[in-house]
Amino acid sequence: MIKRIGVLTSGGDAPGMNAAIRAVTRKGIRTGMEVYGIGHGYKGLIDGDMRLMNIAHVGDIIHRGGTVLKTARCEEFKTDKGIDKAVENINKAKLDSIITIGGDGTLKGALELVKKGINVQFIPATIDNDLGYCAYSIGFDTAVNTVVNAVNGIRETGMSHDKTTIIEVMGRNCGDIALMSGLAGGADAVLIPEVKSDIDKIIDKIKEGISRQKKNSIIIRAEGADISTEELTEEIKKGIGEDVRTVILGYLQRGGSPTALDRNMATLMGSEAVRLISEDKPSTAIGFDGQNVTLVDLKKADNIENKVRADLLELVMTLA
Ligand code: F6P
C-alpha cells in the first residue's frame, strides 16, 4: 500500500519552513509515498485545500523565508465543528499521516487531531522559540541574526549622535529573541516577560555609561515584557535627562533567507518526520537540541514548561 501523507504550515511564518516542506516532500516521494501539500494551515484542512506535490514543486525554495504552502491563524479550527470537518477531509483524502509545521498553536491543533485518531508528526517552527520540549525551533536563529544586524546599524547611528536607543523585538510571551540578540548584539540591558523589570537598575547602567563618555546605550525590550515600550522610553528619558530613540523592529523579524542552522534543522526534522511515518511510529513532537534531532510523545510535548536562560540578563549588563 502506498502511504499518503499531508504537510501543512500553520500560525506565524518562520524562516526555514520552506526547507522543512522541501525535505518532507522529497524524502516522502523518494520513500515511495504520495505527498499532499495543504494550503493555509488548518484552514486548508477544513476547506479541503490539498494538492499532490512533485519533486519540482519544492525546487528553489530552500533559501526562501515564508512558506510556499501559505499559513493562517485559524479560529474555526478551535471549534469542534472545524476539527470534525478537518478530520472528515483527512479521511476523505485517505491520508495516513499529517505533518504539521508551526509553533505552540499548531502543536495544540495537532493534539486535537491526535485525539480524533489521526497520526500527526509535529515539526517546531516559530521565531519565538517558546516550545518547552525542544531547545530550538526553526526560524529562531534567523530572527536573532536579523535583530543583531539591526542592532549593528542602530549602534552606528546611536554612536554618531550620542543617543540611547530602545529596540522592541518580537517573541510574544517568550524572551528568547530579546535575550539572545541582546547578548550577541552587545546590548546594555534586556527586558523579558519572564523576569520583573528593574528600571532603576537600567537607568543607573545608562548613567554609568554616560559618565565614561559612552552615550549610545542600547536597550532591548521583548514585546511581552512587563512595561510597555512607550512607558519605558518615558521612564528612561526622565531618568537620564536626555532624549531617547525608539525602534520597533516588527515583522521584518519574521522574513529573510533562513540561516544554515535553520535550514539544516528543518531538513533533518522534515526527513525524520517521514522516517517516523514510514516505520508506522506513533504521533511525535520532533525537536532539535543544537546538534541532533530529539523525539517526544506528542501528547506530552505541550505540557513541558519553556525555560529561558534568565541568568544571561545579568551577564548582558556585566559585559556592557
Ligand atoms: O509567533 C510569532 C510572532 O511573530 C510573535 O513573535 C508575535 O507576537 C506574533 O507572531 C504576531 O502575530 P500576528 O501577526 O498574528 O499578530
Side-chain angles (χ1 to χ4, degrees):
M1 278 285 281
I2 292 181
K3 280 210 162 86
R4 294 155 73 98
I5 64 173
V7 56
L8 63 82
T9 49
S10 169
D13 56 305
M17 279 180 161
N18 280 329
I21 296 166
R22 171 181 177 270
V24 165
T25 304
R26 292 196 169 163
K27 174 100 183 254
I29 292 171
R30 291 191 166 132
T31 310
M33 298 176 180
E34 278 181 6
V35 182
Y36 289 82
I38 297 156
H40 296 96
Y42 291 123
K43 185 175 180 311
L45 271 186
I46 293 171
D47 298 343
D49 172 8
M50 304 178 192
R51 65 165 177 168
L52 184 62
M53 305 283 276
N54 65 34
I55 297 283
H57 282 142
V58 291
D60 279 332
I61 66 167
I62 194 166
H63 60 301
R64 291 188 201 280
T67 159
V68 292
L69 290 178
K70 306 276 179 108
T71 184
R73 299 197 190 276
C74 180
E75 286 306 311
E76 202 184 346
F77 193 71
K78 293 180 184 155
T79 66
D80 289 342
K81 208 168 143 223
I83 295 165
D84 288 345
K85 186 87 185 80
V87 171
E88 197 185 306
N89 281 333
I90 291 169
N91 291 332
K92 207 157 56 176
K94 296 192 169 53
L95 298 179
D96 298 291
S97 292
I98 304 289
I99 296 173
T100 62
I101 305 169
D104 60 345
T106 309
L107 177 60
K108 287 189 172 67
L111 202 51
E112 293 304 321
L113 291 176
V114 171
K115 282 185 199 154
K116 300 277 179 179
I118 306 290
N119 180 273
V120 184
Q121 305 301 329
F122 174 77
I123 296 176
T126 162
I127 63 164
D128 302 339
N129 204 34
D130 56 353
L131 294 160
Y133 83 87
C134 67
Y136 287 100
S137 56
I138 297 166
F140 172 64
D141 187 57
T142 306
V144 169
N145 278 285
T146 301
V147 173
V148 170
N149 280 328
V151 171
N152 293 343
I154 290 163
R155 178 183 290 286
E156 287 171 1
T157 173
M159 187 269 291
S160 306
H161 285 265
D162 288 337
K163 289 278 188 246
T164 293
T165 310
I166 296 167
I167 304 172
E168 180 188 302
V169 301
M170 279 185 166
R172 208 182 285 273
N173 299 316
C174 178
D176 247 13
I177 295 179
L179 199 50
M180 291 306 159
S181 57
L183 196 62
D188 294 79
V190 174
L191 294 88
I192 61 173
E194 294 85 349
V195 176
K196 192 175 164 356
S197 305
D198 186 342
I199 310 302
D200 289 339
K201 192 172 167 188
I202 295 173
I203 290 170
D204 286 347
K205 185 75 199 169
I206 301 172
K207 279 178 156 172
E208 182 259 319
I210 292 171
S211 73
R212 56 181 171 85
Q213 297 308 305
K214 185 212 168 160
K215 296 178 179 169
N216 62 325
S217 289
I218 289 174
I219 313 299
I220 299 189
R221 173 191 172 265
E223 63 179 350
D226 59 359
I227 176 167
S228 71
T229 298
E230 294 74 20
E231 276 176 284
L232 180 64
T233 306
E234 285 315 308
E235 294 276 317
I236 292 185
K237 262 188 201 169
K238 224 173 355 151
I240 66 171
E242 286 183 23
D243 197 20
V244 171
R245 286 174 173 169
T246 305
V247 178
I248 298 175
L249 291 181
Y251 285 108
L252 71 86
Q253 294 161 90
R254 286 233 298 249
S257 181
T259 60
L261 176 63
D262 276 332
R263 294 181 200 193
N264 288 342
M265 222 162 42
T267 298
L268 293 176
M269 290 197 278
S271 158
E272 181 67 4
V274 172
R275 185 190 69 82
L276 291 169
I277 295 169
S278 70
E279 293 178 11
D280 295 320
K281 300 289 188 215
S283 298
T284 308
I286 302 168
F288 197 77
D289 66 7
Q291 209 161 14
N292 296 304
V293 164
T294 56
L295 304 176
V296 175
D297 179 345
L298 199 143
K299 291 194 197 110
K300 294 185 183 148
D302 195 34
N303 296 326
I304 301 174
E305 195 199 341
N306 189 44
K307 292 199 183 91
V308 293
R309 291 278 313 272
D311 57 305
L312 297 181
L313 287 180
E314 202 50 50
L315 182 61
V316 165
M317 290 189 101
T318 304
L319 301 181

